[in-house]
Amino acid sequence: MKLFTNKTQRNAKLLRCAALGMTLIFFGAAIFMTDPVKLIVDWQISLSPHALLRKLWLVPPLDVYIMVYMFNYTNVDAFIAGTDAKMKVEEVGPYVYQEVLSNHNITLNEANNTITYTPRREYIFVPERSVGDPKIDRIRAPNIPYMGVSTQAASLSMFAALGLSALAKRLNAQPMLEVSVHDYMWGYEDHLVHLASKFVPSLIDFSSFGIMEKLFREGNESNVVNMHLPELKDAHGVNLPGSPRGYSINSINYERGFKRWEYDEATNGTQCNRIWGSHDATLFPRDMNEHDTFHIYRRTFCRLLPMKFNRTLNFKGLDAYEYVMEPHIFDSELHSVNSSCFCKNNHCLKRGVGNVSPCYYNMPLAITYPHFMHADPSLLKPFEGLSPNESRFTSTFMMQPQLGVPLHVHMRLQANQVVGNIKFNRLMEPFENLVLPLLWVDLTIENLPLSLQVLVHALKTGFPLLQLVVSLGLILGGLYQLSAALLLCFWSPPAGMHKSEHGEKATSVLGALAIGASLHKSLPAECVQPEVQQPLLDENAGKLEV
């Protein structure tokens, strides 16, 4: 009975070990083959409701700073009088503002796999990062509306140009202003602008003018952006043919290109005037490679800015791709399909100077690299105090390629006043055919917040490593349990255990024989039956011999 019980327990243990081992191996292999971490990451790094990325995207936790450097003209009177041959400019800054972005009016469009939203940006002055108080610090700088109107007057009739010049003189408008840094950036009263807003509100719908106000706030809270969601994939995880790049812009205010740059919907435009396919510098596609290029769109630039791969590096423990803006991106040529649209009336600006006037009420404004870096050398000749420096003024964009997360950013651009031919305006004649620097900005992401650093490290390394450890642990645990089952199935008990069991059996048999012998001696001879006793003794004797 005891032997039967031991065998049953052993079989039950064997089945338990085998079942547990197979279960552990199955789950370990399933984790290894299905990659649940990737599935979870794909779900969470999306803009679907309740996804982690959507919560972060609604109010991005990135610390984005705009460092503004003003140009102070220190010898204006001497230059206008002809005493000084060159204008002396002094760089003043930085005055730092934090850009706080939030996205509103979210609509998911499942029919074409896009999302529609309205971005809102606020700018908060950061005094501890700034050189001074912009409301106190004062500069002398170009009067942008006055110079713009004076330049446009050259294309008017003689009578219109004379009338405009007379009006400006009556209003005591001056080509150069002395104002506070804050007013110059965010809005100052100008009599000419105020008058124009009353008589031609269809052309000028503002009564004050500030260069930062127009560059960064214009259209804020009214732009409707339609953006592509991550690419659709087939059953094998391969992107479907023709799928637009994930998180690329489809349209802005229902337009897929710059109509101001003669975008043609029928032909989908050219690199010169299309918006679609670019990125707004907040979300980027995942799984980028070294052959990728991407374009950044902000209304401020009035064009797409192409970013080209430069090198691979390690940034604070993370793989990173560094992209740079190439030197020639502000060049325009009549014979280039990708830049000819920037040449208005078949007139192109000098090398390295990008026209942005159609985006700013046709005021003659232009974008360049700071201090005219990579631009026509003739632009520097009228000035003292400008010194192009590639190590200081190059724009770089550092990305984590697998997740598409911006790690470190410096976008450095300069706004300029373009002065053309001047007619019937003596005050403006010294500035004729010059490009005057107004300010340059460094749009910066210095580092990810600690919470995002931890999240990126976890998504990139931590969770996949944990998944691998769990998968291997389950498989090894299952193999161990199966090995234990095999041992129970094929291995006999150790020798000591056999000896102990046989010893117990032998002792029992010897005890029985001893009792039988004593009884045999005490019984009368007639009670003994040899024919029964002999086989028993022979059988026991055989066992004892063994």
Side-chain angles (χ1 to χ4, degrees), residues 228-541:
H228 293 288
L229 294 173
E231 299 93 322
L232 297 175
K233 301 178 184 296
D234 60 19
H236 304 288
V238 179
N239 294 343
L240 294 177
S243 294
R245 197 70 189 269
Y247 304 124
S248 63
I249 293 173
N250 181 47
S251 67
I252 294 180
N253 296 329
Y254 310 102
E255 295 181 0
R256 303 187 74 216
F258 295 96
K259 288 189 175 179
R260 301 178 182 90
W261 294 127
E262 302 173 356
Y263 174 75
D264 185 3
E265 186 77 34
T267 61
N268 280 330
T270 67
Q271 202 60 57
C272 186
N273 51 29
R274 63 171 64 130
I275 294 174
W276 62 267
S278 62
H279 298 270
D280 67 354
T282 57
L283 291 176
F284 293 91
R286 295 175 55 193
D287 300 322
M288 304 180 75
N289 60 62
E290 297 180 1
H291 303 290
D292 276 335
T293 59
F294 61 89
H295 297 79
I296 293 178
Y297 169 81
R298 288 283 295 268
R299 184 195 174 279
T300 304
F301 314 144
C302 197
R303 65 184 62 212
L304 303 186
L305 296 182
M307 306 295 293
K308 186 176 180 180
F309 175 81
N310 183 43
R311 58 175 175 156
T312 301
L313 46 81
N314 185 282
F315 183 77
K316 298 188 176 180
L318 289 170
D319 296 333
Y321 284 176
E322 183 184 71
Y323 293 81
V324 297
M325 287 199 307
E326 294 186 290
H328 62 270
I329 64 171
F330 299 121
D331 297 354
S332 53
E333 298 178 4
L334 279 174
H335 303 294
S336 172
V337 68
N338 288 324
S339 65
S340 60
C341 74
F342 301 130
C343 301
K344 287 296 184 180
N345 301 318
N346 292 327
H347 172 70
C348 301
L349 299 180
K350 290 185 177 181
R351 176 168 59 87
V353 182
N355 187 5
V356 296
S357 59
C359 294
Y360 299 101
Y361 303 91
N362 285 318
M363 290 186 179
L365 297 175
I367 187 173
T368 65
Y369 284 110
H371 290 227
F372 298 128
M373 184 178 72
H374 302 312
D376 191 315
S378 65
L379 297 170
L380 291 170
K381 291 181 179 179
F383 302 98
E384 289 183 10
L386 299 180
S387 54
N389 186 330
E390 288 195 36
S391 64
R392 186 184 178 205
F393 298 140
T394 298
S395 292
T396 60
F397 217 102
M398 200 176 296
M399 305 277 294
Q400 205 295 313
Q402 285 79 31
L403 299 175
V405 177
L407 301 175
H408 189 73
V409 176
H410 282 288
M411 293 285 292
R412 299 170 172 123
L413 302 167
Q414 179 173 297
N416 308 273
Q417 175 83 62
V418 178
V419 181
N421 295 325
I422 300 298
K423 290 183 179 180
F424 313 114
N425 191 329
R426 183 178 55 82
L427 291 176
M428 281 294 298
E429 287 177 358
F431 306 100
E432 188 173 16
N433 293 322
L434 295 181
V435 179
L436 307 176
L438 304 175
L439 56 81
W440 72 272
V441 298
D442 185 356
L443 197 151
T444 302
I445 298 176
E446 296 177 350
N447 204 351
L448 293 179
L450 181 60
S451 58
L452 282 185
Q453 289 185 48
V454 173
L455 178 61
V456 170
H457 277 283
L459 293 176
K460 176 64 175 64
T461 307
F463 292 156
L465 182 60
L466 178 61
Q467 174 181 272
L468 180 61
V469 170
V470 171
S471 177
L472 291 177
L474 290 173
I475 292 173
L476 292 176
L479 292 175
Y480 173 79
Q481 292 295 330
L482 286 181
S483 300
L486 290 173
L487 287 173
L488 288 171
C489 184
F490 294 108
W491 283 20
S492 60
M497 185 178 297
H498 281 284
K499 184 176 179 181
S500 174
E501 291 178 357
H502 291 161
E504 290 179 2
K505 292 177 183 178
T507 303
S508 301
V509 172
L510 289 173
L513 289 174
I515 295 172
S518 61
L519 289 174
H520 178 73
K521 292 179 181 180
S522 61
L523 288 174
E526 61 267 57
C527 294
V528 179
Q529 301 179 7
E531 65 276 13
V532 176
Q533 184 182 18
Q534 187 63 37
L536 179 61
L537 289 175
D538 290 344
E539 182 182 358
N540 289 335

Side-chain angles (χ1 to χ4, degrees), residues 17 86 92 124 137 165 182 223 281 318 348 356 359 423 461 485 514:
C17 289
K86 293 187 176 184
V92 181
I124 303 171
D137 298 345
S165 177
H182 178 271
N223 291 320
L318 289 170
C348 301
V356 296
C359 294
K423 290 183 179 180
T461 307

